[in-house]
Amino acid sequence: MKAVYITEHGGIEKLLSGELPEPVPHGNEVLIRVRACGVNYVDLWVRRGLPFLRIKYPFVLGQEIAGEVVAAGDLTRDVSAGMRVVLNAGVSCGQCEPCLSGRDHHCSHYLLLGKNLSGGYAGFVKVPQVNLVPLPDGVAWEAAASIPVSFCTAWNMLFDTAQLQPGESVLIHAGGSGLGSAAIQLARLAGATVITTANSEQKLEKAAALGAQYLINYRQKDFLHEVRRITKKRGVDVVIEHIGEEVWERSLLCLTTGGRLVTCGATSGYQAKTDLRHVFFRHLRIMGATSASKAVLFKIMRLLEAGKIQPVLDRVLPLGDAREAHRVLEERQQFGKVVLAPE
Ligand SMILES: NC(=O)c1ccc[n+]([C@@H]2O[C@H](COP(=O)([O-])OP(=O)(O)OC[C@H]3O[C@@H](n4cnc5c(N)ncnc54)[C@H](OP(=O)(O)O)[C@@H]3O)[C@@H](O)[C@H]2O)c1
Ligand SMILES: [Zn+2]
């Protein structure tokens, strides 16, 4: 099959195009023909290398996959060739206490497609059947592939972790990121007031179209000053944080007393400084989140089918242009998602 893979960590030039053997599904596994695969910032981390990440080369990136079933192992049930599906990226053991409590993303054996297991920058991928979620008729492959990682993580951060309530206010960093553009929509659906940031007026206009009510061009204005002005010095109830070092200290200062900050990433660096006095004197809660329970994707798909959320597609590129896709993310040119489509 055609695939884009790495044989060592490094820059964009380490993404290689070529032929790899097609995976063979066994037992509870299903073979999926990849129709589209979303590109996430985490793909850049995997390509560059992470301290505790051990992968087997050649390694295929890509976490956000939509496609159709072509074959299934002998332990699968009710799965047939041609089924249109989106994939949950997280593979868990299915038998530990977190898994059986609906917190499969807390499983100590948790592995991610495109990070630990072969991913979607390829013609085919195999996954356990439990990772399939039916794709509603009429949703295009490229649209579907811009959903699972961004929306599920945003859902976990806003609802499962921060427990966002109607009427609360939330600061969502980088409204043009895959994560931010999903979080804006989900927070608005929940009846919250959304403040977001971006590096340009064009991105902010698009964030407004998704529902963000207050827009901060952080290249022109200090976002902390703006949040204080917008909230009349009260601060926001929740901050959705994934930028890290560059914004961490000011993000904590954006919170109202008793406010919650949820972090899922550290794009600008992870050695952030925290003045503990703000945390204890103002009763702040700092929480981490990664991925989401598999069940979340069913809810997201229902919202998509009902037209309550929309995929935010920046551009679709042929799989062979994976280097260009990584360049776009590295240079922060996109609004929403860049998606790769195997030819
Ligand atoms: N833990 C999880 O499960 C999980 C899941 C999804 C994402 N994440 C994390 O969340 C972050 C966003 O992911 P994504 O896929 O949504 O990313 P993305 O679509 O590539 O967006 C990243 C955006 O962050 C903004 N940004 C601000 N400061 C930046 C800096 N110093 N360097 C680079 N970008 C900067 C840029 O927008 P502007 O230029 O407009 O500011 C950039 O376009 C990543 O750190 C990712 O690892 C974690
Ligand atoms: Zn488990």
Side-chain angles (χ1 to χ4, degrees):
M1 65 173 182
K2 286 208 166 37
V4 171
Y5 54 87
I6 54 172
T7 54
E8 59 182 327
H9 292 297
I12 284 175
E13 72 289 351
K14 301 295 181 197
L15 291 171
L16 306 175
S17 293
E19 293 284 330
L20 289 181
E22 205 175 289
V24 179
H26 297 289
N28 65 358
E29 292 171 340
V30 178
L31 183 67
I32 305 295
R33 181 191 301 278
V34 178
R35 292 300 194 169
C37 181
V39 178
N40 285 278
Y41 204 89
V42 70
D43 301 359
L44 278 53
W45 291 121
V46 176
R47 191 200 73 225
R48 292 170 188 156
L50 290 162
F52 300 106
L53 184 66
R54 300 280 172 269
I55 51 180
K56 246 174 71 191
Y57 296 123
F59 186 77
V60 178
L61 305 174
Q63 298 198 335
E64 223 163 13
I65 303 166
E68 62 198 318
V69 171
V70 286
D74 54 0
L75 299 180
T76 57
R77 275 200 321 208
D78 303 329
V79 60
S80 51
M83 270 175 68
R84 285 161 42 88
V85 291
V86 275
L87 304 188
N88 257 308
V91 175
S92 62
C93 81
Q95 48 194 9
C96 68
E97 186 174 342
C99 276
L100 296 175
S101 312
R103 289 181 285 107
D104 45 279
H105 54 311
H106 293 198
C107 175
S108 55
H109 301 287
Y110 197 68
L111 299 173
L112 283 160
L113 297 174
K115 186 176 177 197
N116 318 99
L117 303 168
S118 196
Y121 289 16
F124 297 88
V125 65
K126 71 173 179 179
V127 284
Q129 182 183 0
V130 71
N131 283 64
L132 311 187
V133 173
L135 179 61
D137 290 339
V139 179
W141 299 118
E142 296 81 7
S146 65
I147 297 279
V149 172
S150 308
F151 274 88
C152 288
T153 310
W155 180 292
N156 176 2
M157 295 175 83
L158 289 165
F159 305 139
D160 297 337
T161 307
Q163 313 252 304
L164 183 71
Q165 302 292 310
E168 288 193 318
S169 52
V170 51
L171 168 65
I172 297 171
H173 278 295
S177 61
L179 185 90
S181 57
I184 291 171
Q185 298 185 61
L186 292 173
R188 281 308 308 277
L189 261 184
T193 299
V194 173
I195 306 172
T196 196
T197 65
N199 71 8
S200 72
E201 294 304 317
Q202 291 92 319
K203 284 193 190 184
L204 289 173
E205 271 172 37
K206 292 180 181 171
L210 292 179
Q213 294 113 311
Y214 296 97
L215 311 165
I216 304 172
N217 182 333
Y218 67 86
R219 293 236 189 264
Q220 289 173 2
K221 291 186 173 154
D222 174 46
F223 73 84
L224 170 59
H225 181 272
E226 285 301 290
V227 167
R228 283 196 176 134
R229 184 185 63 75
I230 293 162
T231 60
K232 302 187 173 53
K233 298 202 176 132
R234 173 187 180 272
V236 289
D237 297 289
V238 172
V239 174
I240 295 300
E241 215 305 73
H242 52 100
I243 308 294
E245 267 178 40
E246 261 175 40
V247 305
W248 183 263
E249 285 176 277
R250 284 176 294 152
S251 294
L252 287 173
L253 294 174
C254 284
L255 287 169
T256 191
T257 300
R260 297 93 77 197
L261 179 148
V262 186
T263 168
C264 78
T267 314
S268 69
Y270 50 84
Q271 300 284 9
K273 253 175 60 187
T274 303
D275 183 335
L276 293 175
R277 291 168 298 181
H278 293 300
V279 181
F280 55 75
F281 281 132
R282 295 198 299 114
H283 310 274
L284 303 184
R285 279 175 280 170
I286 300 174
M287 295 174 276
T290 279
S291 304
S293 156
K294 288 190 184 67
V296 170
L297 189 51
F298 287 94
K299 294 181 244 202
I300 304 268
M301 282 297 132
R302 284 200 288 275
L303 291 174
L304 182 66
E305 193 171 13
K308 305 238 184 231
I309 54 169
Q310 48 175 296
V312 187
L313 206 48
D314 179 82
R315 71 192 78 183
V316 182
L317 297 171
L319 177 60
D321 286 355
R323 287 182 180 179
E324 169 65 6
H326 279 221
R327 188 194 62 76
V328 170
L329 260 68
E330 257 172 13
E331 294 182 5
R332 301 155 71 163
Q333 290 174 352
Q334 83 286 12
F335 184 93
K337 304 292 300 190
V338 176
V339 168
L340 295 171
E343 296 93 314

